[in-house]
Amino acid sequence: SVQLRVLDEAGAPVAPGEVGEIVASGPNIALGYWRDPEAGAATFRDGALHTGDLASIDGEGFITIVDRAKDILKCGGNRVSCREVEETIHHFEGMVEAAVVGIPDDLLGEAVCLFAVHPQGEAITAELAAYCERQLARHLVPRRTLFLKSLPKNSSGKYDKPALRRLLETREGGGQ
């Protein structure tokens, strides 16, 4: 049988309502990736699978997935869910698609970079910025916004964040 735990960065169980990573252990959990010891060491530690899924646990022990660890930014000491920012921006009138990635920031560590698809494109830049300032906490407001005709997607239909980061490097000279 598999045991699922939600652990903080130090490996301790989180309290109800707090967010941590789902860690799976049990006799049927692999010991690593075949022929990829480097990736295996990052994912399989102390006989457990560190899933990369961030979740909270309630008082009854039910687990609710919040986001992927790779889709969390650290902005000024705050953990920022890209999904949370994207969902808010999707409510902007006429927004077709919105995806968020982190960009380096000397003060905050990381800042929000928004890739947006909107019929009016860059013509709504000021209006979108004002909307974000009203709807999001200061550290969640996109520092940079790039408008595209469509967002790249991976084979499962999700936004291809690595492709967006590469695009940012190409367009912005390394994201600075």
Side-chain angles (χ1 to χ4, degrees):
S1 71
V2 173
Q3 177 188 18
L4 296 180
R5 296 172 293 155
V6 181
L7 305 178
D8 63 19
E9 290 179 0
V14 299
E18 291 181 354
V19 173
E21 181 181 16
I22 297 176
V23 177
S25 58
N28 58 344
I29 298 295
L31 299 176
Y33 292 123
W34 188 58
R35 294 188 178 175
D36 194 351
E38 207 171 283
T43 304
F44 298 90
R45 298 187 302 274
D46 301 321
L49 167 65
H50 291 254
T51 66
D53 290 316
L54 296 181
S56 64
I57 190 163
D58 68 16
E60 296 179 41
F62 289 99
I63 296 172
T64 302
I65 295 177
V66 176
D67 212 334
R68 292 282 301 157
K70 292 180 181 175
D71 226 14
I72 295 290
L73 308 179
K74 290 190 179 176
C75 301
N78 297 295
R79 289 166 48 127
V80 175
S81 165
C82 292
R83 184 185 306 173
E84 177 185 336
V85 177
E86 291 164 355
E87 287 175 2
T88 299
I89 293 171
H90 272 113
H91 287 97
F92 180 77
E93 187 175 339
M95 188 61 65
V96 178
E97 294 180 300
V100 167
V101 299
I103 55 175
D105 183 272
D106 291 338
L107 183 62
L108 298 175
E110 283 185 295
V112 174
C113 177
L114 168 65
F115 290 88
V117 177
H118 192 281
Q120 296 178 41
E122 293 180 5
I124 55 102
T125 299
E127 189 179 343
L128 177 59
Y131 170 84
C132 289
E133 288 173 10
R134 285 191 311 271
Q135 299 297 320
L136 297 166
R138 176 181 277 170
H139 64 279
L140 302 179
V141 173
R143 173 76 44 84
R144 179 159 299 157
T145 300
L146 296 170
F147 289 91
L148 303 174
K149 293 190 185 306
S150 66
L151 298 184
K153 297 180 185 63
N154 62 26
S155 60
S156 61
K158 295 182 180 182
Y159 297 133
D160 188 344
K161 302 273 178 110
L164 291 172
R165 287 184 193 93
R166 288 190 300 274
L167 177 63
L168 182 63
E169 288 176 11
T170 302
R171 285 194 176 190
E172 302 291 323
Q176 299 297 320

